[in-house]
Amino acid sequence: MPSDEITEAVAAIDERAGVTVLDDLYLDEERGRWVVKIRLRPDDLADHSEVPRETDWYLHLRDTFPAGSIGIYPADQDANTITATFAHQKLNVAGSEDTPWRKGDICVARYGHTLNQTGATGEPSTGTDRLCWHMDRALQWLRNAAQGELREPDEPFEIPAFNTADAQGPTLAFNESRESFDDWVDVYGQWGTVALYSVPTAEETYVTDVFTDDDGEVVYEPDWGGYIESEMDDAVCGAWALLDQVPIDPPWEAPETWRDLEDFFEETATDPYTLRANIKPVLEEESVKILLIGFPIPAQVGNEPELIYWQPSEIEEFKDPQDVGHRSTGQGQCRAARIVAGREQIRWLEANNWSHDQLIRRGHMDEWFLDRTIVLIGAGALGSMVAENLVRAGCQQLTIVDSDTYEIGNVSRHTLSLDDVGRNKATMLADRLQSVAPYVQAVDVDTAFPPSGEMPASISDAEVVIDCSASRVVRRALDRERWDHRVVFCSAAMGRRANRLFCFTAYSHTFPYTDYEEAFSLWRLQEQIEWDDETDAVPERIGCWHPASVIRTDRVMTWAGTVTRLLDNATGLTLGETDFTVLETSGDDEVPTVSEATPPFQDVTTWEAATSPVTVQVPEKCREAMFERCRQDHPCETGGILAGIDREDDPALLINAQEPPPDSIQEPTKFLRGTDKVEDWLRDARESLGIDYLGEWHYHPAAPPDISLDDRKAMNEIAADDGYDCPHPLLFIVGQDDTQEFAVNAYLFHRDNDYEQLYRMSDRPDDTGEAGTDGKTV
């Protein structure tokens, strides 16, 4: 049986305008979903050949509802359904034989620009409200689809859904960026060959290497990191063709057959059948026959293209022209391809852009660091984790310097593994870093710093030098070296218990050892005093006297992440300037102390009813906004709507006290709040911020904030009006006391025409039956 929350939510949407529940709920045991068939009939639906006036859908709810995803799939066999694929919809192909729905789940709940909304969607969390919210947005999705308004200018561009469901071939990884786009702008309509190399991943993956045109001239060669360069294996030759537009048919469908591709080649120097004939001798003997169809894409809808996207396809086989009655000449090859391939389904493959700027979009260091040559001295616990953070945060060129061997005892707090035991730390860490991301070039210097003899170029060319060795010898050596260019220096070390991090940064031609010593000397003394009894040390292992510090890896990770953050700050240093930061945390038996951001809405005044548990919080900013408007409009009355959130068991929270709409009537003894743009503002606030209408406020100039009969009548009408969807609206009245200072009274109205006064918590009357300032017993 479905849960009560599911049955109540489905019953609620059946009462929703434009939504009809057609069948009973049933459990799809194979997919673990509760399913119900519904019909959507939005009002004001524009005429569209692909969007019927009413459409049937299958609603999918997880057993964990109201948690979990909600699916909305078009019916498969019904006449009233959508069979095309639109933007913000998964590929809308037929479903499985045992399901009555198609696969085109519509996307109504995404963060961002979907359905013309920006910012957080404000999706409710409770069952009935959440499902009704999804239905309202599904109806809006249909309206937008019929009007061709699912894709709005400046919203993020979305790649059309290519049908890769039947793909048996490899996944393709390409490397295209804004910089590489310039290599392709003069090549639209052309074709050529591309070297493809297999790289070791869990799934079969090929990466693109050198692209050449049909004359054998190099068009583009991607810049891969060390891992890709060293692991390239099983080379095959592929082919490419570059279109001058995204291959998409209205409403938002990628081509499925070769005949569908014809229109997109019309403006180019070739057509898909000539292309197949040309690439046949290139691909025919390859174990996997891959053709890349490229096209330019923008970052936002309506903007200029800035990136080449490659959509790979696999050609199963090339037919011999004689098999379809044509000679094996060039013309015969083209005619044979037209006959055979015209009706052939395109076997699209999965693809991903592995370029540096795409892979770091989820978070990266200050851009200044991304292209810098970085030297890290000390590949121990802290150094290995700092290095890992650097490459995952987008840094591409690292040199690791360390002469130590990775030992079994290091596994407790290091990024290397058992495979690396007995090998040089710098060498193995460089190998690991290159395997982290395809853009990383890491080299090792497997000697102590400074190296004997001439300084390696990878060190002398460094623009950033990070010392994680905790060694005075290293710091003195850095002081003796001089770089011809300016360098960002960072020396980071943990305290002996790892309860402190010491991070010294400088911008200079050489490491300022004297400044470091001056800043660190007293801290060194403190550390020595705390470490004197060595109670925090244990033998490295039983049978060995050598002491080892007890430091957990989670503490090292905390400080490693902090070092990279402090490095970001170092970009603000001027030449010769230094910075010394000491951070401290609590003992090992406590949760580490972390500085906290000031929570929002802490400066609130709390109002509550005398006889009921009603509580409302008003931030100082919201209260001051009302007072400022009163000052501005004095001596006329003024006011506006109140918006915020009703937090069920927690106090309601006012977020916004709106100014009077422009069509409001404002006189010294009269105020009538207008309606111009109020509905639009509330809808936008609800969709983007998740806040709702909570009531009204207005001002009685030079008079007490007492409620009038007109106030009561207006608020009772609002409470009874379903359009406001607020059966218990608030009213805040601002008046003036004998000293002309602002005074406020607050009231809560009910749909039964009753109301009660709210009091500040500090002013609440002792007798709960005491009369309010208006004489009404609350």
Side-chain angles (χ1 to χ4, degrees), residues 261-286:
L261 272 177
E262 287 187 47
D263 291 342
F264 301 103
F265 278 89
E266 280 187 356
E267 303 299 323
T268 69
T270 186
D271 65 52
Y273 310 113
T274 303
L275 174 65
R276 280 184 65 113
N278 289 336
I279 66 176
K280 178 182 177 182
V282 177
L283 304 186
E284 193 167 25
E285 300 302 320
E286 297 292 347

PDB file of all heavy atoms in Angstrom, residues 261-286:
ATOM      1  N   LEU A 261      20.457  14.084 -41.417  1.00  0.00           N
ATOM      2  CA  LEU A 261      21.649  14.944 -41.420  1.00  0.00           C
ATOM      3  C   LEU A 261      21.770  15.793 -42.683  1.00  0.00           C
ATOM      4  O   LEU A 261      22.531  16.762 -42.706  1.00  0.00           O
ATOM      5  CB  LEU A 261      22.909  14.095 -41.291  1.00  0.00           C
ATOM      6  CG  LEU A 261      23.412  13.759 -39.883  1.00  0.00           C
ATOM      7  CD1 LEU A 261      24.627  12.846 -39.978  1.00  0.00           C
ATOM      8  CD2 LEU A 261      23.765  15.018 -39.108  1.00  0.00           C
ATOM      9  N   GLU A 262      21.063  15.435 -43.723  1.00  0.00           N
ATOM     10  CA  GLU A 262      21.259  16.106 -45.014  1.00  0.00           C
ATOM     11  C   GLU A 262      21.110  17.618 -44.916  1.00  0.00           C
ATOM     12  O   GLU A 262      21.920  18.379 -45.448  1.00  0.00           O
ATOM     13  CB  GLU A 262      20.269  15.550 -46.044  1.00  0.00           C
ATOM     14  CG  GLU A 262      20.595  14.148 -46.522  1.00  0.00           C
ATOM     15  CD  GLU A 262      19.677  13.710 -47.656  1.00  0.00           C
ATOM     16  OE1 GLU A 262      19.479  14.508 -48.598  1.00  0.00           O
ATOM     17  OE2 GLU A 262      19.150  12.592 -47.595  1.00  0.00           O
ATOM     18  N   ASP A 263      20.049  18.072 -44.226  1.00  0.00           N
ATOM     19  CA  ASP A 263      19.789  19.520 -44.166  1.00  0.00           C
ATOM     20  C   ASP A 263      20.936  20.278 -43.524  1.00  0.00           C
ATOM     21  O   ASP A 263      21.197  21.438 -43.876  1.00  0.00           O
ATOM     22  CB  ASP A 263      18.503  19.776 -43.382  1.00  0.00           C
ATOM     23  CG  ASP A 263      17.263  19.294 -44.122  1.00  0.00           C
ATOM     24  OD1 ASP A 263      17.367  19.094 -45.342  1.00  0.00           O
ATOM     25  OD2 ASP A 263      16.222  19.116 -43.470  1.00  0.00           O
ATOM     26  N   PHE A 264      21.632  19.655 -42.601  1.00  0.00           N
ATOM     27  CA  PHE A 264      22.687  20.351 -41.881  1.00  0.00           C
ATOM     28  C   PHE A 264      23.985  20.411 -42.680  1.00  0.00           C
ATOM     29  O   PHE A 264      24.902  21.130 -42.315  1.00  0.00           O
ATOM     30  CB  PHE A 264      22.916  19.682 -40.521  1.00  0.00           C
ATOM     31  CG  PHE A 264      21.691  19.663 -39.665  1.00  0.00           C
ATOM     32  CD1 PHE A 264      20.947  18.507 -39.514  1.00  0.00           C
ATOM     33  CD2 PHE A 264      21.253  20.814 -39.052  1.00  0.00           C
ATOM     34  CE1 PHE A 264      19.802  18.494 -38.739  1.00  0.00           C
ATOM     35  CE2 PHE A 264      20.117  20.815 -38.270  1.00  0.00           C
ATOM     36  CZ  PHE A 264      19.387  19.650 -38.117  1.00  0.00           C
ATOM     37  N   PHE A 265      24.086  19.634 -43.765  1.00  0.00           N
ATOM     38  CA  PHE A 265      25.239  19.695 -44.651  1.00  0.00           C
ATOM     39  C   PHE A 265      24.982  20.568 -45.878  1.00  0.00           C
ATOM     40  O   PHE A 265      25.876  20.764 -46.687  1.00  0.00           O
ATOM     41  CB  PHE A 265      25.629  18.286 -45.115  1.00  0.00           C
ATOM     42  CG  PHE A 265      26.467  17.522 -44.133  1.00  0.00           C
ATOM     43  CD1 PHE A 265      25.882  16.744 -43.161  1.00  0.00           C
ATOM     44  CD2 PHE A 265      27.845  17.587 -44.169  1.00  0.00           C
ATOM     45  CE1 PHE A 265      26.638  16.028 -42.255  1.00  0.00           C
ATOM     46  CE2 PHE A 265      28.617  16.885 -43.275  1.00  0.00           C
ATOM     47  CZ  PHE A 265      28.016  16.108 -42.312  1.00  0.00           C
ATOM     48  N   GLU A 266      23.759  21.073 -46.023  1.00  0.00           N
ATOM     49  CA  GLU A 266      23.396  21.798 -47.245  1.00  0.00           C
ATOM     50  C   GLU A 266      24.294  23.005 -47.499  1.00  0.00           C
ATOM     51  O   GLU A 266      24.635  23.310 -48.632  1.00  0.00           O
ATOM     52  CB  GLU A 266      21.932  22.256 -47.171  1.00  0.00           C
ATOM     53  CG  GLU A 266      20.945  21.152 -47.514  1.00  0.00           C
ATOM     54  CD  GLU A 266      19.526  21.679 -47.591  1.00  0.00           C
ATOM     55  OE1 GLU A 266      19.328  22.878 -47.297  1.00  0.00           O
ATOM     56  OE2 GLU A 266      18.629  20.906 -47.946  1.00  0.00           O
ATOM     57  N   GLU A 267      24.673  23.720 -46.445  1.00  0.00           N
ATOM     58  CA  GLU A 267      25.474  24.928 -46.601  1.00  0.00           C
ATOM     59  C   GLU A 267      26.969  24.644 -46.614  1.00  0.00           C
ATOM     60  O   GLU A 267      27.778  25.572 -46.659  1.00  0.00           O
ATOM     61  CB  GLU A 267      25.149  25.920 -45.480  1.00  0.00           C
ATOM     62  CG  GLU A 267      23.684  26.314 -45.385  1.00  0.00           C
ATOM     63  CD  GLU A 267      23.194  26.989 -46.664  1.00  0.00           C
ATOM     64  OE1 GLU A 267      23.980  27.745 -47.255  1.00  0.00           O
ATOM     65  OE2 GLU A 267      22.042  26.740 -47.056  1.00  0.00           O
ATOM     66  N   THR A 268      27.351  23.364 -46.557  1.00  0.00           N
ATOM     67  CA  THR A 268      28.769  23.015 -46.517  1.00  0.00           C
ATOM     68  C   THR A 268      29.230  22.526 -47.885  1.00  0.00           C
ATOM     69  O   THR A 268      28.447  22.418 -48.826  1.00  0.00           O
ATOM     70  CB  THR A 268      29.022  21.925 -45.466  1.00  0.00           C
ATOM     71  OG1 THR A 268      28.441  20.690 -45.904  1.00  0.00           O
ATOM     72  CG2 THR A 268      28.421  22.307 -44.121  1.00  0.00           C
ATOM     73  N   ALA A 269      30.508  22.191 -47.958  1.00  0.00           N
ATOM     74  CA  ALA A 269      31.095  21.791 -49.242  1.00  0.00           C
ATOM     75  C   ALA A 269      30.858  20.318 -49.548  1.00  0.00           C
ATOM     76  O   ALA A 269      31.346  19.835 -50.571  1.00  0.00           O
ATOM     77  CB  ALA A 269      32.594  22.085 -49.231  1.00  0.00           C
ATOM     78  N   THR A 270      30.162  19.616 -48.707  1.00  0.00           N
ATOM     79  CA  THR A 270      29.950  18.190 -48.929  1.00  0.00           C
ATOM     80  C   THR A 270      28.564  17.816 -48.432  1.00  0.00           C
ATOM     81  O   THR A 270      27.780  18.664 -48.018  1.00  0.00           O
ATOM     82  CB  THR A 270      31.039  17.369 -48.203  1.00  0.00           C
ATOM     83  OG1 THR A 270      30.888  15.990 -48.541  1.00  0.00           O
ATOM     84  CG2 THR A 270      30.934  17.517 -46.698  1.00  0.00           C
ATOM     85  N   ASP A 271      28.241  16.556 -48.534  1.00  0.00           N
ATOM     86  CA  ASP A 271      26.995  16.051 -47.954  1.00  0.00           C
ATOM     87  C   ASP A 271      27.330  14.747 -47.237  1.00  0.00           C
ATOM     88  O   ASP A 271      28.434  14.206 -47.396  1.00  0.00           O
ATOM     89  CB  ASP A 271      25.918  15.846 -49.026  1.00  0.00           C
ATOM     90  CG  ASP A 271      26.285  14.767 -50.039  1.00  0.00           C
ATOM     91  OD1 ASP A 271      26.644  13.631 -49.631  1.00  0.00           O
ATOM     92  OD2 ASP A 271      26.219  15.052 -51.247  1.00  0.00           O
ATOM     93  N   PRO A 272      26.430  14.232 -46.411  1.00  0.00           N
ATOM     94  CA  PRO A 272      26.785  13.071 -45.586  1.00  0.00           C
ATOM     95  C   PRO A 272      27.137  11.825 -46.401  1.00  0.00           C
ATOM     96  O   PRO A 272      27.923  11.001 -45.939  1.00  0.00           O
ATOM     97  CB  PRO A 272      25.536  12.855 -44.728  1.00  0.00           C
ATOM     98  CG  PRO A 272      24.440  13.584 -45.417  1.00  0.00           C
ATOM     99  CD  PRO A 272      25.076  14.728 -46.113  1.00  0.00           C
ATOM    100  N   TYR A 273      26.604  11.704 -47.608  1.00  0.00           N
ATOM    101  CA  TYR A 273      26.871  10.503 -48.394  1.00  0.00           C
ATOM    102  C   TYR A 273      28.227  10.590 -49.088  1.00  0.00           C
ATOM    103  O   TYR A 273      28.972   9.602 -49.159  1.00  0.00           O
ATOM    104  CB  TYR A 273      25.740  10.275 -49.403  1.00  0.00           C
ATOM    105  CG  TYR A 273      24.396  10.334 -48.719  1.00  0.00           C
ATOM    106  CD1 TYR A 273      23.498  11.366 -48.991  1.00  0.00           C
ATOM    107  CD2 TYR A 273      24.044   9.394 -47.750  1.00  0.00           C
ATOM    108  CE1 TYR A 273      22.283  11.442 -48.340  1.00  0.00           C
ATOM    109  CE2 TYR A 273      22.832   9.459 -47.090  1.00  0.00           C
ATOM    110  CZ  TYR A 273      21.954  10.493 -47.377  1.00  0.00           C
ATOM    111  OH  TYR A 273      20.767  10.557 -46.722  1.00  0.00           O
ATOM    112  N   THR A 274      28.557  11.793 -49.568  1.00  0.00           N
ATOM    113  CA  THR A 274      29.908  11.995 -50.081  1.00  0.00           C
ATOM    114  C   THR A 274      30.926  11.797 -48.962  1.00  0.00           C
ATOM    115  O   THR A 274      31.995  11.205 -49.156  1.00  0.00           O
ATOM    116  CB  THR A 274      30.050  13.401 -50.682  1.00  0.00           C
ATOM    117  OG1 THR A 274      29.066  13.583 -51.701  1.00  0.00           O
ATOM    118  CG2 THR A 274      31.434  13.616 -51.261  1.00  0.00           C
ATOM    119  N   LEU A 275      30.575  12.281 -47.775  1.00  0.00           N
ATOM    120  CA  LEU A 275      31.448  12.110 -46.632  1.00  0.00           C
ATOM    121  C   LEU A 275      31.676  10.627 -46.344  1.00  0.00           C
ATOM    122  O   LEU A 275      32.823  10.198 -46.139  1.00  0.00           O
ATOM    123  CB  LEU A 275      30.823  12.794 -45.413  1.00  0.00           C
ATOM    124  CG  LEU A 275      31.548  12.590 -44.075  1.00  0.00           C
ATOM    125  CD1 LEU A 275      32.925  13.230 -44.107  1.00  0.00           C
ATOM    126  CD2 LEU A 275      30.709  13.163 -42.930  1.00  0.00           C
ATOM    127  N   ARG A 276      30.639   9.837 -46.348  1.00  0.00           N
ATOM    128  CA  ARG A 276      30.794   8.398 -46.074  1.00  0.00           C
ATOM    129  C   ARG A 276      31.684   7.744 -47.125  1.00  0.00           C
ATOM    130  O   ARG A 276      32.515   6.879 -46.814  1.00  0.00           O
ATOM    131  CB  ARG A 276      29.431   7.708 -46.044  1.00  0.00           C
ATOM    132  CG  ARG A 276      28.683   7.876 -44.736  1.00  0.00           C
ATOM    133  CD  ARG A 276      27.391   7.088 -44.747  1.00  0.00           C
ATOM    134  NE  ARG A 276      27.622   5.658 -44.808  1.00  0.00           N
ATOM    135  CZ  ARG A 276      27.335   4.799 -43.836  1.00  0.00           C
ATOM    136  NH1 ARG A 276      26.856   5.244 -42.698  1.00  0.00           N
ATOM    137  NH2 ARG A 276      27.549   3.507 -43.989  1.00  0.00           N
ATOM    138  N   ALA A 277      31.504   8.156 -48.381  1.00  0.00           N
ATOM    139  CA  ALA A 277      32.336   7.590 -49.435  1.00  0.00           C
ATOM    140  C   ALA A 277      33.803   7.988 -49.237  1.00  0.00           C
ATOM    141  O   ALA A 277      34.713   7.173 -49.459  1.00  0.00           O
ATOM    142  CB  ALA A 277      31.835   8.064 -50.801  1.00  0.00           C
ATOM    143  N   ASN A 278      34.038   9.223 -48.797  1.00  0.00           N
ATOM    144  CA  ASN A 278      35.409   9.696 -48.604  1.00  0.00           C
ATOM    145  C   ASN A 278      36.109   9.028 -47.425  1.00  0.00           C
ATOM    146  O   ASN A 278      37.321   8.798 -47.451  1.00  0.00           O
ATOM    147  CB  ASN A 278      35.415  11.213 -48.412  1.00  0.00           C
ATOM    148  CG  ASN A 278      35.096  11.971 -49.692  1.00  0.00           C
ATOM    149  OD1 ASN A 278      35.300  11.453 -50.801  1.00  0.00           O
ATOM    150  ND2 ASN A 278      34.584  13.181 -49.551  1.00  0.00           N
ATOM    151  N   ILE A 279      35.364   8.754 -46.369  1.00  0.00           N
ATOM    152  CA  ILE A 279      36.002   8.200 -45.170  1.00  0.00           C
ATOM    153  C   ILE A 279      36.045   6.673 -45.190  1.00  0.00           C
ATOM    154  O   ILE A 279      36.700   6.074 -44.339  1.00  0.00           O
ATOM    155  CB  ILE A 279      35.287   8.678 -43.890  1.00  0.00           C
ATOM    156  CG1 ILE A 279      33.866   8.119 -43.818  1.00  0.00           C
ATOM    157  CG2 ILE A 279      35.296  10.196 -43.796  1.00  0.00           C
ATOM    158  CD1 ILE A 279      33.144   8.478 -42.524  1.00  0.00           C
ATOM    159  N   LYS A 280      35.379   6.069 -46.172  1.00  0.00           N
ATOM    160  CA  LYS A 280      35.379   4.597 -46.219  1.00  0.00           C
ATOM    161  C   LYS A 280      36.786   4.019 -46.250  1.00  0.00           C
ATOM    162  O   LYS A 280      37.117   3.127 -45.447  1.00  0.00           O
ATOM    163  CB  LYS A 280      34.564   4.114 -47.407  1.00  0.00           C
ATOM    164  CG  LYS A 280      34.558   2.585 -47.545  1.00  0.00           C
ATOM    165  CD  LYS A 280      33.783   2.123 -48.756  1.00  0.00           C
ATOM    166  CE  LYS A 280      33.865   0.598 -48.898  1.00  0.00           C
ATOM    167  NZ  LYS A 280      33.154   0.110 -50.104  1.00  0.00           N
ATOM    168  N   PRO A 281      37.680   4.475 -47.149  1.00  0.00           N
ATOM    169  CA  PRO A 281      39.035   3.896 -47.165  1.00  0.00           C
ATOM    170  C   PRO A 281      39.838   4.187 -45.903  1.00  0.00           C
ATOM    171  O   PRO A 281      40.779   3.463 -45.573  1.00  0.00           O
ATOM    172  CB  PRO A 281      39.689   4.543 -48.391  1.00  0.00           C
ATOM    173  CG  PRO A 281      38.897   5.773 -48.661  1.00  0.00           C
ATOM    174  CD  PRO A 281      37.500   5.469 -48.244  1.00  0.00           C
ATOM    175  N   VAL A 282      39.446   5.220 -45.151  1.00  0.00           N
ATOM    176  CA  VAL A 282      40.157   5.564 -43.912  1.00  0.00           C
ATOM    177  C   VAL A 282      39.734   4.642 -42.776  1.00  0.00           C
ATOM    178  O   VAL A 282      40.558   4.174 -41.979  1.00  0.00           O
ATOM    179  CB  VAL A 282      39.889   7.034 -43.531  1.00  0.00           C
ATOM    180  CG1 VAL A 282      40.561   7.376 -42.200  1.00  0.00           C
ATOM    181  CG2 VAL A 282      40.382   7.971 -44.627  1.00  0.00           C
ATOM    182  N   LEU A 283      38.439   4.355 -42.688  1.00  0.00           N
ATOM    183  CA  LEU A 283      37.900   3.629 -41.538  1.00  0.00           C
ATOM    184  C   LEU A 283      37.658   2.150 -41.774  1.00  0.00           C
ATOM    185  O   LEU A 283      37.485   1.391 -40.812  1.00  0.00           O
ATOM    186  CB  LEU A 283      36.564   4.269 -41.099  1.00  0.00           C
ATOM    187  CG  LEU A 283      36.549   5.749 -40.756  1.00  0.00           C
ATOM    188  CD1 LEU A 283      35.178   6.140 -40.220  1.00  0.00           C
ATOM    189  CD2 LEU A 283      37.621   6.086 -39.734  1.00  0.00           C
ATOM    190  N   GLU A 284      37.630   1.733 -43.030  1.00  0.00           N
ATOM    191  CA  GLU A 284      37.119   0.405 -43.349  1.00  0.00           C
ATOM    192  C   GLU A 284      37.846  -0.721 -42.622  1.00  0.00           C
ATOM    193  O   GLU A 284      37.243  -1.695 -42.185  1.00  0.00           O
ATOM    194  CB  GLU A 284      37.182   0.189 -44.867  1.00  0.00           C
ATOM    195  CG  GLU A 284      36.383  -1.013 -45.327  1.00  0.00           C
ATOM    196  CD  GLU A 284      36.197  -1.012 -46.833  1.00  0.00           C
ATOM    197  OE1 GLU A 284      37.038  -0.406 -47.543  1.00  0.00           O
ATOM    198  OE2 GLU A 284      35.212  -1.602 -47.312  1.00  0.00           O
ATOM    199  N   GLU A 285      39.163  -0.579 -42.430  1.00  0.00           N
ATOM    200  CA  GLU A 285      39.935  -1.659 -41.812  1.00  0.00           C
ATOM    201  C   GLU A 285      40.127  -1.470 -40.319  1.00  0.00           C
ATOM    202  O   GLU A 285      40.778  -2.288 -39.666  1.00  0.00           O
ATOM    203  CB  GLU A 285      41.312  -1.753 -42.500  1.00  0.00           C
ATOM    204  CG  GLU A 285      41.253  -2.047 -43.985  1.00  0.00           C
ATOM    205  CD  GLU A 285      40.507  -3.349 -44.277  1.00  0.00           C
ATOM    206  OE1 GLU A 285      40.688  -4.328 -43.510  1.00  0.00           O
ATOM    207  OE2 GLU A 285      39.745  -3.382 -45.264  1.00  0.00           O
ATOM    208  N   GLU A 286      39.572  -0.390 -39.738  1.00  0.00           N
ATOM    209  CA  GLU A 286      39.737  -0.145 -38.312  1.00  0.00           C
ATOM    210  C   GLU A 286      38.819  -1.059 -37.498  1.00  0.00           C
ATOM    211  O   GLU A 286      37.715  -1.395 -37.926  1.00  0.00           O
ATOM    212  CB  GLU A 286      39.435   1.320 -37.969  1.00  0.00           C
ATOM    213  CG  GLU A 286      40.365   2.324 -38.626  1.00  0.00           C
ATOM    214  CD  GLU A 286      41.792   2.237 -38.086  1.00  0.00           C
ATOM    215  OE1 GLU A 286      42.014   1.590 -37.050  1.00  0.00           O
ATOM    216  OE2 GLU A 286      42.697   2.829 -38.720  1.00  0.00           O
TER     217      GLU A 286
END
